[in-house]
Structures are given as C-alpha cells and as structure tokens.
Amino acid sequence: MFTAAAIRWAVWPPFYGRQLLRQIIDIGYYSLPVVGLTTLFSGMVLALQSYTGFARFSAEDTVATVVVLSVTRELGPVLAGLMVAGRIGASMAAEIGTMRVTDQIDALDSLSTRPMQYLVAPRIIAGTICLPFLVLIGDIIGVFGGYLVGVYKLGFNPSLYLARTLEYLEFSDVFLGLVKAAVFGFLIALMGCYHGYNSGRGAEGVGLATTNAVVSASILILISNYLVTAVFFGN
Amino acid sequence: MSSTPKIRIDNIKKRFGTNDVLKGISLDIQAQESVCIIGTSGCGKSVTLKCLLGLITPDSGSILVNGVETVGQSRRAREDMLRQFGMTFQFGALFDSLQIWENVTFRLRQRTKLTRQAARDVAADIVTQLGLGAHVIDQYPAELSGGMQKRVALARAIADKPEILLFDEPTSGLDPITGGVIDNLIIDQVKKLGATTLTISHDMASVRRIADKVAMVHKGRIIWFGAVTDMDNTGVPEVDQFVHGEPFGPLTTGNSD
Ligand SMILES: Nc1ncnc2c1ncn2[C@@H]1O[C@H](COP(=O)(O)OP(=O)(O)OP(=O)(O)O)[C@@H](O)[C@H]1O
Ligand SMILES: [Mg+2]
C-alpha cells in the first residue's frame, strides 16, 4: 500500500525539484566519505586475504581478478547499501518521524500539499538514483584499495595488476552491481520513509522508527541481494 | 431561525483502540462566530479539530462545512474544502527545514506562481503586522523563541486569508503578557478577515478575551455550550470547577473514560 502510493506519487506532478535536489546532495554527496572508506578497506583486506589463501595452491596471480569481481558484484553494492542504510535510512526515519510527531505532516496536509509527494517521493527517487553512482565510485575506490595492497605490500607489478584487473571484468559484472545498488537505494528510502511516516507518538516513537528503518532496510538489502543475483544467473 | 451554520459537527465519534475519545460531539458554529473549546487535558479537543480538517476520520457522525458533508468526501473535494481553512497546531508544527518566509507563504506558493521576492515581501508584511521584525523571515523556526514561533504559526494560518480559522492552544506556554498580545492579534486578524474561528484554550483569561461562545468537552461529549458571558454561572459543576481552576470537584486529571 505504502509502496504503491509512494511510487504513484513519485511519477505524478507536481514535482518538488528543490526537495529532490536536497535529498540527492544529502544521499549522494554526503555519503561519499563513508562509502569510500568502507570500500577502500574492503578492497585492501580482500587483496590480502585472497593472496594468503590462494598462495596455498600457488594461484597468487588471480588476486586482482578476485578483488575486482568481488568488489563490483558483491561487496561494493552490499557494503555501500548497508552503510547508507545506517546513515540515510536512520536520518530519513528520524526526520519524517519528528515531522509526524510534531504535527508537521498534518500541517503539510492541511496546507494542501500531499506529504507523499512532498516528503516521500523525492527521497525515494533520490535513493534510487544516487546509490548506483555511489557504488560506482565505491567500486573504483575498492579496486584501488586492492591495487595499493597488491602493489605496495604484496609486490605485484603495477601494470600487470591493472591488466589482470581488467582482463576478466565484464560489463555485466559492473551492471549487476549497479542494478543491485538501485534496488538497495529504493529499499533504504522506502523503509526510512515508511517507518518515519508511521512513527509512534513521542520521542520514543521516533527512536523506534529509526531503529526499525535501519534493521528492516539492512535485512531487505541482504535478501534482495540474493534474489537479484539469482535472477541474473537464472538467465 | 438561524441560517445554515458555517460548521455543523453532528454526533462524531472516534476511538483509538480501546480508548474511546469522542463519544458523540455535536456543535454548531455560525459564520463569523468565535467559539472556544475548553476541557481537561486528553479529553479530545485536538482530535476534534483534526476531524474538522479530515486529518483524522471519525468512526461515525457527520461534519458539514457550509452545509456540505465533509466526512468521507473525495480527495479533490477535500482539497477544495481545505482552502477555506487556516490552522495553527498545538505544537507549532512549523516546517523545521524551511525558513520563516517559506513557512508563512507555503500554501500561497503552492497555489499561485509567486516569485521568490514577492513571497518574501508578503511574508515580511504579515510578520510585521504580527509584531515581529521583518528580518525574522530569513531565520529558521528553531532560531525563534516559543512566542515568536506561535506568531509565525499564526502568520502561516492567516497568510492566504481563509474563511475559517482553527487555533489549537495559541497561547499555551507563553507568559500572560505575550499571551495577551497573541489574543489581540487573533481578534484583530479575525475581524479583518471576517473569519469564523474555533480555538482550543486552557487559558481562561484568553477565552474571555477572544470567545463569543464557549463549549466545554468532558468525557467525550460537550457538556455545556453557551455565551462566554454566561460562563460563570452555568450551574454545571464541571464547568464551574474548570472555569475557576479548582483542584477538587467532579473533574479529575488523567484520562477521561
Ligand atoms: N493519532 C492518535 N492515535 C492514538 N491515540 C490518539 C491519537 N491522537 C490522540 N489520541 C488520544 O486521544 C486522546 C485525546 O487527545 P487530544 O490530543 O485530542 O487531547 P486534548 O484534549 O487536545 O488534550 P491537551 O489539552 O492535552 O492537548 C488522548 O488520550 C490521546 O492519547
Ligand atoms: Mg490538544
């Protein structure tokens, strides 16, 4: 019900451009540091782990490939999704929940503005658009993290490492990651808005809404991650 | 014979779970009348006001505005109806993320294609009428004191000249002097607009200043409705107790059921 209404109002005029812009900056721009750091260190540890693992059957030179495939297909989207769920899902639920509790949503409504259109739609659109961009940047940073460890710690030849990185990488790997990211972005915003919108009364209600938004978004991310992957490999 | 009332609330009931809040509220408000609703905390005053705006749908009963049924009306009809209303909420409900001028002209800008500058001028004009400095229009609600926020909420409610004004505790939490100033602003603006007004208030001094008629809600019903001048000798013990603020009597604090 909420989902259907949210989608309907997202494509229905009037559009609130300034609200959308604000959300895009909030989600896209201000999440960059968190996503960057997460993917950087994940790329680094991945290089280290796969090196020590593959060294046991002398397959060390697959490190670059392992790093780039895991980052683009799995780690980039999932880690970025979870981090953004913590950051954005929580803040959306808190903001909208506070508006609910302090009657701001009722005020919006009584001032002839549909809260679904003014509050929910811009957030959902922004979430769905921004996450793929964040993940794309996260992918690059994650691969770069792997490269740093590969070259400076494990002693790979820089140009060889880069060649290995690109050798087995297909467009569909990156694309799969970005599709996942869009799905995650949608789910994060949806959960943030839903729980905020239906927040219980008082500060306690808002607190609970925030927790629920993060937990449900994280779980949905993990489940949909499996489903999207399964659908992709089904064909 | 009185004409069609501006607002007729007819036997509305509302329960939340097991909490039977409104057990049949009926109230007629004539055009250009100023009615105050009084009653102990939690007796359902705010819920009644929200029913009028369709923010809460009553379980049964009917609400006529200008003789037109508004319970269960279509969304389009409701949007048309809402244009006649201006409301201030108990907790202010100013939009935190918007500056004062955007708050005040919010609906005006949705409805008419006002330029930024024109909207700012309108906002500055209204807030100065309400005794605030024009510079506040560039501030955010959180930067204003409680009394200033109440004035801004008032400014937002009257900005596009509604016919019906609903005020939920416009003077609560203010010192008596600021409260008095707000009352006078309400009286002035209401006169200027020729509006019909429904105000919730706990503040008897304020009720005496702004009301023509007073309705007392108790246990989900209206137990007394009459002219403000008759408020002191109603012969209803609950009203006497409330009006004179006695701690002991038929009214007890806590939830009414
Ligand atoms: N959205 C809601 N969901 C559930 N219960 C509600 C809701 N709104 C109000 N109530 C309940 O209805 C009752 C009346 O609330 P209301 O806000 O109308 O009181 P009030 O008369 O305005 O009191 P006060 O003077 O303290 O503002 C309370 O018991 C409250 O808990
Ligand atoms: Mg109230």
Side-chain angles (χ1 to χ4, degrees):
Chain A
M1 271 287 283
F2 188 88
T3 314
I7 293 174
R8 170 171 179 212
W9 293 122
V11 296
W12 203 269
F15 302 106
Y16 295 99
R18 284 208 24 213
Q19 295 296 315
L20 181 61
L21 193 67
R22 209 191 110 208
Q23 292 306 322
I24 288 180
I25 292 172
D26 218 31
I27 303 175
Y29 186 69
Y30 290 111
S31 298
L32 274 175
V34 183
V35 170
L37 274 177
T38 316
T39 46
L40 177 70
F41 282 99
S42 306
M44 286 166 66
V45 81
L46 202 60
L48 214 52
Q49 284 281 16
S50 50
Y51 181 80
T52 46
F54 289 129
R56 292 181 196 153
F57 30 97
S58 7
E60 298 93 327
D61 48 354
T62 56
V63 166
T65 314
V66 169
V67 168
V68 71
L69 289 185
S70 344
V71 166
T72 54
R73 294 169 76 135
E74 283 298 326
L75 287 178
V78 171
L79 287 176
L82 292 176
M83 295 311 282
V84 174
R87 215 185 84 82
I88 295 297
S91 82
M92 279 183 186
E95 191 181 355
I96 296 183
T98 304
M99 293 188 72
R100 165 62 74 200
V101 172
T102 57
D103 285 343
Q104 290 180 55
I105 292 187
D106 280 346
L108 259 186
D109 193 16
S110 70
L111 292 170
S112 317
T113 300
R114 298 190 193 100
M116 276 287 181
Q117 247 174 334
Y118 186 80
L119 293 176
V120 176
R123 286 173 169 75
I124 288 184
I125 297 173
T128 314
I129 299 177
C130 286
L131 256 261
F133 283 101
L134 276 173
V135 165
L136 193 60
I137 295 169
D139 284 350
I140 295 168
I141 295 176
V143 169
F144 176 68
Y147 171 89
L148 286 182
V149 170
V151 172
Y152 294 102
K153 191 162 164 58
L154 306 175
F156 283 95
N157 175 307
S159 52
L160 201 62
Y161 188 95
L162 276 183
R164 281 292 161 111
T165 296
L166 298 174
E167 195 176 345
Y168 294 104
L169 182 68
E170 288 176 14
F171 173 72
S172 67
D173 297 321
V174 179
F175 185 69
L176 169 65
L178 298 186
V179 169
K180 286 180 175 179
V183 172
F184 298 165
F186 174 78
L187 291 173
I188 291 167
L190 187 70
M191 286 301 109
C193 293
Y194 174 81
H195 288 286
Y197 200 80
N198 294 301
S199 161
R201 310 171 78 210
E204 215 174 308
V206 177
L208 196 63
T210 309
T211 313
N212 287 341
V214 176
V215 172
S216 58
S218 307
I219 291 174
L220 285 177
I221 284 175
L222 296 174
I223 295 174
S224 64
N225 180 45
Y226 175 79
L227 292 179
V228 174
T229 313
V231 167
F232 248 72
F233 289 115
N235 305 330
Chain B
M1 290 289 99
S2 64
S3 53
T4 326
K6 188 80 181 169
I7 298 172
R8 162 164 286 171
I9 301 174
D10 190 11
N11 200 25
I12 57 168
K13 298 184 179 162
K14 180 73 193 175
R15 68 160 58 215
F16 295 105
T18 57
N19 184 3
D20 218 350
V21 181
L22 307 181
K23 298 176 189 160
I25 297 266
S26 300
L27 188 64
D28 276 5
I29 302 169
Q30 305 299 331
Q32 310 206 342
E33 215 169 45
S34 171
V35 174
C36 272
I37 300 184
I38 58 175
T40 48
S41 208
C43 70
K45 303 180 298 294
S46 298
V47 170
T48 307
L49 236 56
K50 287 184 179 177
C51 284
L52 265 176
L53 292 176
L55 296 169
I56 292 177
T57 309
D59 299 331
S60 68
S62 100
I63 298 173
L64 306 179
V65 176
N66 291 323
V68 179
E69 177 63 61
T70 65
V71 176
Q73 64 189 342
S74 71
R75 206 188 57 233
R76 161 95 20 110
R78 174 163 180 259
E79 281 169 8
D80 286 341
M81 173 201 80
L82 282 175
R83 296 190 178 177
Q84 306 173 40
F85 282 88
M87 167 142 187
T88 67
F89 290 82
Q90 185 166 359
F91 304 108
L94 295 174
F95 304 127
D96 294 326
S97 59
L98 300 180
Q99 290 171 338
I100 298 305
W101 70 272
E102 293 171 298
N103 264 284
V104 171
T105 56
F106 192 84
R107 178 155 63 180
L108 223 50
R109 294 208 301 154
Q110 307 282 322
R111 202 183 287 172
T112 55
K113 289 280 157 252
L114 219 55
T115 63
R116 215 181 135 83
Q117 190 52 47
R120 290 171 52 89
D121 290 344
V122 171
D125 186 42
I126 300 173
V127 299
T128 46
Q129 276 179 46
L130 297 186
L132 292 172
H135 63 275
V136 301
I137 63 167
D138 290 320
Q139 291 182 295
Y140 286 91
E143 298 167 339
L144 304 183
S145 74
M148 294 163 90
Q149 291 185 16
K150 295 257 178 195
R151 291 189 207 209
V152 172
L154 193 60
R156 186 174 68 182
I158 63 174
D160 59 347
K161 306 186 171 47
E163 293 168 27
I164 304 170
L165 287 164
L166 309 179
F167 300 124
D168 196 344
E169 306 200 9
T171 58
S172 67
L174 300 180
D175 67 82
I177 297 171
T178 313
V181 171
I182 299 261
D183 287 337
N184 288 334
L185 292 173
I186 290 178
I187 296 166
D188 288 350
Q189 295 299 325
V190 167
K191 279 217 189 87
K192 205 185 281 181
L193 296 171
T196 309
T197 323
L198 189 57
T199 309
I200 294 176
S201 186
H202 284 302
D203 172 357
M204 294 321 294
S206 161
V207 170
R208 286 176 206 280
R209 275 192 290 265
I210 63 181
D212 300 323
K213 287 187 184 165
V214 177
M216 166 125 183
V217 179
H218 182 54
K219 296 195 171 173
R221 295 198 173 81
I222 293 194
I223 55 167
W224 186 76
F225 182 44
V228 65
T229 44
D230 297 335
M231 192 167 62
D232 291 301
N233 37 23
T234 59
V236 183
E238 284 88 351
V239 181
D240 283 347
Q241 187 197 347
F242 193 91
V243 170
H244 301 112
E246 311 283 350
F248 302 107
L251 301 178
T252 48
T253 47
N255 238 326
S256 54
D257 58 337

